[in-house]
Amino acid sequence: MAIVEVKVPQLSESVAEATMLQWKKKVGDAIAIDETLIEIETDKVVLEVPAPSAGVLIEILVADGGTVIAEQLIARIDTEATAGVTAPAAAPAAPAAAPAAAPASASTSAPAANGGAMAGVPMPSAAKLMADGNMPAGSVPGTGKDGRVTKGDVLAAPSATKLVTASAMPAAAAPVALLPQVAASKKPDDLGNRPEQRVPMSRLRARIAERLLQSQSTNAILTTFNEVNMAPVMEMRKRFQERFEKEHGVKLGFMSFFVKAAVHALKKFPLINASIDGNDIVYHGYFDIGIAVGSPRGLVVPILRNADQMSFAEIEKKIAEYGAKARDGKLGIEEMTGGTFSISNGGTFGSMLSTPIINPPQSAILGVHATKDRAVVENGQVVVRPMNYFALSYDHRIIDGREAVLGLVAMKEALEDPSRLLFDI
């Protein structure tokens, strides 16, 4: 038997522990090298744990929903076993060996013959399974260290069929969920037609709540608003959409314009791109723009590094990539770390107006909303224009109203005359 241990991967320095989501394999399943065994959720990302070697999964040490730390042992793989077999083939029993020991392998019968004190003693997880399945002591041969009975031994025993089916192995048809599925209350007499369901927060949701409360309690948040006539951008987008997509293989969206306009304003007003560190103001000479993205797990903010050096096509491709990763839970910690300014586009969901909350340690965030045809006055005449309300929330501790208002006006002017973005004026 060649046993390979499966451990929790190294976590970020700021992450102390993680939560096991759902095992993709069950004990006795054949495993291919690098095949995903389980996903582990931290307060930032979901990490996949790949199989370090091919073989058969013989033991799971931490169940779904368990809390783990970096480098913790969570499973074992037998590289020499075959699917459905969690112990090596039986070796010929020694003449003096008891009949009950015959199924055991040579490696496990030796300690028993020599009087090993731990031979046949079940490990804690194995003991619980045996108790749940009413399996008598000594009915399962051990293949663990010193002949001890492992969880894999119990699950592989013929008498454990019902136990494996009912409790140890999750049903193949069970829905994959990021949060534990908690049944609604079964007290119709108390609740009538008003059922409730209590579900623990995911680590990401808890972290989001913590950061938003931190932002509101530590920042002096103020929001300024302005309206933007999106007609020039929409006309330019319509004019070049087909050629752009053909040339770059990605659609020309509005977010690349918003990012370019934001960088344009941040260059003019560096305080909006700065942050506070103790009693110091840190001016960033680079522009790492966070793009708020909704995902099944909650709000995530991946970063466009050096956005000022990116083309429209590069921005659109990166945002599309981040969107796909967010949906699949594949965003890495490094992709969401840092950022000097953020953009939240609630308009994709139909929002007309909002006051976005700053993402610490940043000092400002731009909220973009739905573009709608509205009546506006131009040159004394009432006309219909596609208007979008922009909201800039900023930390009033370092950003005064003047910089905030003028910064938002600079974004507005850049979008209402996109040629400004070409000449940086």
Side-chain angles (χ1 to χ4, degrees):
M1 177 185 294
I3 303 300
V4 174
E5 296 182 335
V6 181
K7 296 183 178 182
V8 175
Q10 190 64 44
L11 306 176
S12 169
E13 292 183 1
S14 62
V15 177
E17 57 185 22
T19 300
M20 305 282 281
L21 291 183
Q22 187 174 50
W23 283 95
K24 307 294 185 183
K25 296 289 184 178
K26 57 184 181 291
V27 172
D29 282 354
I31 307 296
I33 189 170
D34 291 332
E35 186 175 8
T36 299
L37 297 178
I38 191 171
E39 293 178 339
I40 298 180
E41 181 188 39
T42 73
D43 58 12
K44 293 183 178 180
V45 296
V46 172
L47 302 173
E48 291 184 344
V49 179
S53 179
V56 173
L57 184 63
I58 62 169
E59 187 174 11
I60 292 176
L61 301 176
V62 183
D64 298 351
T67 299
V68 293
I69 60 175
E71 301 299 323
Q72 180 176 337
L73 179 64
I74 58 175
R76 290 188 176 92
I77 296 173
D78 185 350
T79 61
E80 297 178 355
T82 56
V85 179
T86 57
S105 65
S107 62
T108 57
S109 60
N114 295 330
M118 301 303 292
V121 177
M123 293 183 176
S125 59
K128 184 178 185 305
L129 278 178
M130 292 178 69
D132 291 343
N134 296 319
M135 301 169 68
S139 63
V140 180
T143 63
K145 185 178 180 181
D146 297 328
R148 295 195 66 179
V149 178
T150 67
K151 184 177 179 181
D153 297 331
V154 178
L155 295 175
S159 57
T161 303
K162 292 183 179 179
L163 175 64
V164 170
T165 304
S167 61
M169 295 187 183
V176 177
L178 295 179
L179 291 175
Q181 299 301 297
V182 181
S185 173
K186 296 182 179 179
K187 297 181 179 180
D189 294 338
D190 297 337
L191 297 176
N193 295 323
R194 292 151 54 85
E196 293 180 348
Q197 185 180 29
R198 185 182 295 271
V199 179
M201 280 189 182
S202 67
R203 287 186 176 274
L204 176 62
R205 176 52 59 188
R207 181 60 172 164
I208 291 172
E210 176 187 341
R211 288 180 63 82
L212 293 181
L213 286 175
Q214 173 194 352
S215 178
Q216 290 189 309
S217 63
T218 59
N219 296 332
I221 302 178
L222 191 63
T223 305
T224 184
F225 304 90
N226 214 320
E227 58 182 9
V228 179
N229 179 3
M230 294 293 293
V233 169
M234 294 174 71
E235 182 181 348
M236 178 178 288
R237 179 173 177 264
K238 182 178 179 180
R239 180 181 175 187
F240 293 105
Q241 176 72 277
E242 185 176 344
R243 292 173 59 187
F244 184 91
E245 185 173 359
K246 184 177 180 181
E247 182 72 23
H248 301 290
V250 65
K251 290 184 177 180
L252 177 60
F254 291 112
M255 280 303 299
S256 52
F257 287 94
F258 297 152
V259 171
K260 286 289 188 179
V263 170
H264 171 78
L266 297 180
K267 288 181 177 180
K268 290 180 175 293
F269 302 95
L271 264 177
I272 303 177
N273 195 49
S275 60
I276 293 179
D277 184 11
N279 291 323
D280 297 330
I281 298 176
V282 181
Y283 288 88
H284 304 292
Y286 49 90
F287 303 89
D288 289 351
I289 308 299
I291 306 297
V293 178
S295 75
R297 298 177 57 243
L299 182 70
V300 291
V301 188
I303 310 299
L304 296 175
R305 307 287 179 189
N306 300 312
D308 57 315
Q309 301 174 24
M310 300 176 72
S311 66
F312 278 80
E314 289 171 335
I315 293 174
E316 292 293 350
K317 288 178 180 179
K318 202 65 178 177
I319 291 176
E321 175 188 333
Y322 283 155
K325 285 186 174 182
R327 288 191 300 272
D328 298 335
K330 305 295 185 183
L331 283 170
I333 293 176
E334 68 284 351
E335 293 172 314
M336 294 189 289
T337 302
T340 60
F341 182 81
S342 291
I343 300 175
S344 176
N345 187 3
T348 57
F349 306 107
S351 173
M352 184 186 77
L353 201 61
S354 68
T355 54
I357 299 177
I358 298 168
N359 184 25
Q362 299 169 22
S363 296
I365 180 173
L366 174 67
V368 179
H369 304 94
T371 298
K372 300 290 185 182
D373 286 342
R374 295 188 175 92
V376 296
V377 177
E378 291 183 359
N379 301 320
Q381 300 292 322
V382 176
V383 295
V384 176
R385 294 286 185 264
M387 304 301 294
N388 194 316
Y389 295 140
F390 278 23
L392 180 70
S393 292
Y394 58 99
D395 188 349
H396 212 342
R397 292 179 301 167
I398 64 170
I399 302 174
D400 292 331
R402 175 184 178 276
E403 285 78 13
V405 172
L406 290 178
L408 188 55
V409 168
M411 298 180 202
K412 166 187 169 72
E413 292 176 345
L415 292 168
E416 292 185 339
D417 185 4
S419 60
R420 289 172 176 266
L421 299 175
L422 299 176
F423 300 107
D424 197 22
I425 57 176

